[in-house]
């Protein structure tokens, strides 16, 4: 059993903790939180050990009469590997503790790429994680871009990719960030950080990205134009390739009625997914168009969920013996990722 600690317990940490608990080859040592709240109550009800980030936090747990198993440092000591799911740039401060205690760690996409020796997306570079002490699972937008661009590159040879990303302004529980009544250039300068971030995983073709924030909380929407070397590319070849790509789900605006991201999230509810989570990249099948050697399509990403399978595979890639195919299969089965064909 691989003993896994989850440091930071909110959007990503809660989901990673549940996913770790669902793996037969992993044991959840516990989760670390800054303060006691309803999320800590639920973690305790699930049987998770809850640790405090610091002494102040531990005192708050005591004041609220809530069980606290120690400090995050104690949790890290008990583990083989830590998934750090603290807010952007807190992970880099925690790295010193992981190093001092000789522990492996996985960081998230909000950290700078140089925090770890490898930026990770399972289907692109699983094998490279073996032997790394520190790995960074890239952000939600970078993960979905890497999945589809890697697939298109394998079949058609990507020359250049361009993407416009309409980003959700805040996660559903981030009430302090909203509401906004604006479309915010994020940033106005080009490229946004997403294209260069894709190049930390797939360095061999340019990816130019532009981003803006829109007043929604569920899902980002990508508009892609991908130039490929294979001039014989056509719509059906692209559909065929993406249909076979792991962790990708097709939706259709016509026959299936997916007119918006609202329909996609509603569909996740109908599937009975925990928290409506969609781990798959969601591509509008009827948007796929190849004109000359350029491929156009729309893709949505559930920002809260897409990196969860990647974190689980990163743990195995660093600590386990499984091949990429075996690990992805185990992860997908445990999370119910069956990408129902519509
Ligand atoms: P979050 O702010 O929702 O959760 C982080 C939690 O960690 C908070 O509860 C915070 O109180 C806690 N925390 C702060 N300092 C801590 C410490 N020292 N020890 C323990 N806990 C601490 O953040 P998130 O959205 O889950 O993001 C985590 C990471 O994942 C970031 O790098 C982010 O960029 C990345 N990410 C986020 C999303 C998303 O859509 N939210 C998607 C992909 C990747």
């Amino acid at each position: 059993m691989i003993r896994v600690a989850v440091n930071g317990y909110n959007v990503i940490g809660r989901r990673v903790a549940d996913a770790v608990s669902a793996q037969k080859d992993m044991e959840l040592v516990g989760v670390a939180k800054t303060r006691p709240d309803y999320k800590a109550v639920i973690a305790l009800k699930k049987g998770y050990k809850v640790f405090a980030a610091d002494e102040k936090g531990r005192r708050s747990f005591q004041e609220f009469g809530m069980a606290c198993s120690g400090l995050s440092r104690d949790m890290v000591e008990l583990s083989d590997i830590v998934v750090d799911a603290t807010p952007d740039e807190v992970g880099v401060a925690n790295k010193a503790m992981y190093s001092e205690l000789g522990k492996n760690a996985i960081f998230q996409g909000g950290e700078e790429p140089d925090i770890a020796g490898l930026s990770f997306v399972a289907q692109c570079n699983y094998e490279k994680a073996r032997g790394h002490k520190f790995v960074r699972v890239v952000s939600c937008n970078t993960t979905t871009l890497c999945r589809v661009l890697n697939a298109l590159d394998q079949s058609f040879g990507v020359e250049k990719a361009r993407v416009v990303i309409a980003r959700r302004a805040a996660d559903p529980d981030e009430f302090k960030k909203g509401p906004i009544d604006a479309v915010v250039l994020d940033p106005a300068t080009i490229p946004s950080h997403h294209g260069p971030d894709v190049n930390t995983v797939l360095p061999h073709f340019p990816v130019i990205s532009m981003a803006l924030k829109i007043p929604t909380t569920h899902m980002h929407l990508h508009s892609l134009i991908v130039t490929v070397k294979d001039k014989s590319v056509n719509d059906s070849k692209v559909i065929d390739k993406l249909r076979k790509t792991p962790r990708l789900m097709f939706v259709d605006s016509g026959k299936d009625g997916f007119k918006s991201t609202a329909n996609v999230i509603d569909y996740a509810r109908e599937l009975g997914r925990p928290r409506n989570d969609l781990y798959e990249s969601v591509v509008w099948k009827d948007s796929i168009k190849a004109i000359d050697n350029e491929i156009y399509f729309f893709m949505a990403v559930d920002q809260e969920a897409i990196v969860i399978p990647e974190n689980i595979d990163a743990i195995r890639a660093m600590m386990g013996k499984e091949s990429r195919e075996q690990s992805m299969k185990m992860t997908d089965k445990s999370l119910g990722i069956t990408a129902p064909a519509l």
Side-chain angles (χ1 to χ4, degrees):
M1 295 291 264
I2 308 170
R3 295 173 302 166
V4 185
V6 176
N7 198 11
Y9 191 68
N10 198 36
V11 175
I12 301 300
R14 283 186 284 168
R15 288 169 169 81
V16 170
D18 289 354
V20 167
S21 299
Q23 307 309 309
K24 291 196 175 108
D25 54 342
M26 297 180 197
E27 176 195 332
L28 181 69
V29 173
V31 301
K33 279 189 58 51
T34 46
R35 64 186 76 84
D37 57 11
Y38 69 91
K39 296 164 191 173
V41 174
I42 291 171
L44 289 166
K45 279 195 176 153
K46 286 181 176 177
Y48 301 166
K49 285 191 173 151
V50 179
F51 294 78
D54 53 23
E55 282 297 348
K56 189 172 162 228
R58 175 148 65 180
R59 281 196 298 279
S60 311
F61 274 90
Q62 279 164 355
E63 282 161 25
F64 279 84
M66 217 182 272
C68 174
S69 297
L71 296 180
S72 51
R73 191 184 172 90
D74 304 320
M75 174 185 77
V76 173
E77 273 184 312
L78 294 170
S79 67
D80 301 313
I81 184 164
V82 188
V83 176
D84 189 298
T86 57
D88 295 6
E89 293 167 28
V90 176
V92 72
N94 291 333
K95 187 179 170 183
M97 172 180 38
Y98 308 145
S99 296
E100 189 197 325
L101 297 175
K103 301 298 180 182
N104 298 278
I106 293 170
F107 298 97
Q108 306 303 313
E111 303 298 329
E112 293 297 323
D114 63 5
I115 194 168
L118 182 77
S119 288
F120 180 89
V121 175
Q123 55 198 264
C124 300
N125 58 6
Y126 179 93
E127 293 80 6
K128 286 192 183 160
R130 194 88 68 206
H132 274 277
K133 199 88 189 144
F134 301 120
V135 160
R136 168 179 171 262
V137 167
V138 295
S139 74
C140 46
N141 286 308
T142 306
T143 298
T144 196
L145 284 169
C146 287
R147 283 182 191 169
V148 295
L149 293 176
N150 185 53
L152 295 176
D153 190 42
Q154 284 169 349
S155 287
F156 312 111
V158 172
E159 229 167 51
K160 175 161 74 173
R162 284 156 285 189
V163 57
V164 179
I165 305 174
R167 302 184 60 198
R168 60 87 182 97
D171 289 330
D173 78 336
E174 283 184 304
F175 62 92
K176 287 183 184 163
K177 282 194 182 171
I180 60 166
D181 180 18
V183 177
V184 182
L185 307 180
D186 188 33
T189 49
I190 295 162
S192 65
H193 71 274
H194 307 92
D197 202 30
V198 171
N199 286 140
T200 65
V201 181
L202 303 171
H204 50 285
F205 48 79
V207 182
I208 301 114
S209 58
M210 302 164 72
L212 31 95
K213 274 190 207 162
I214 52 168
T216 66
T217 60
H218 295 290
M219 308 200 90
H220 306 299
L221 188 94
H222 293 209
S223 310
L224 282 115
I225 305 174
V226 186
T227 310
V228 294
K229 292 174 191 149
D230 183 349
K231 296 205 172 5
S232 75
V233 69
N234 59 36
D235 302 358
S236 56
K237 283 185 185 174
V238 176
I239 289 171
D240 198 43
K241 176 63 187 175
L242 293 184
R243 192 191 293 289
K244 292 180 192 140
T245 301
R247 297 180 183 164
L248 189 148
M249 178 190 279
F250 276 147
V251 294
D252 190 294
S253 76
K255 78 177 173 60
D256 300 321
F258 288 93
K259 307 281 186 207
S260 75
T261 54
N263 300 121
V264 177
I265 287 294
D266 189 47
Y267 179 58
R269 288 194 194 104
E270 287 297 307
L271 289 178
R273 292 281 180 91
R275 305 183 179 96
N276 316 324
D277 283 349
L278 278 172
Y279 309 104
E280 300 90 338
S281 305
V282 180
V283 173
W284 267 265
K285 187 173 149 216
D286 52 338
S287 73
I288 294 172
K289 192 82 211 151
I291 302 173
D292 300 327
N293 59 332
E294 295 197 314
I295 303 164
Y296 298 75
F297 60 96
F298 289 120
M299 167 169 70
V301 47
D302 178 356
Q303 78 280 357
E304 298 186 291
I306 190 166
V307 299
I308 306 310
E310 308 297 329
N311 272 277
I312 298 301
D313 288 329
I315 294 169
R316 274 198 205 96
M318 293 166 76
M319 311 291 295
K321 294 187 178 61
E322 291 74 14
S323 66
R324 172 179 48 179
E325 288 71 22
Q326 285 168 328
S327 177
M328 288 180 68
K329 208 168 155 191
M330 289 160 81
T331 306
D332 289 2
K333 189 167 175 224
S334 69
L335 297 178
I337 304 176
T338 49
L342 276 166

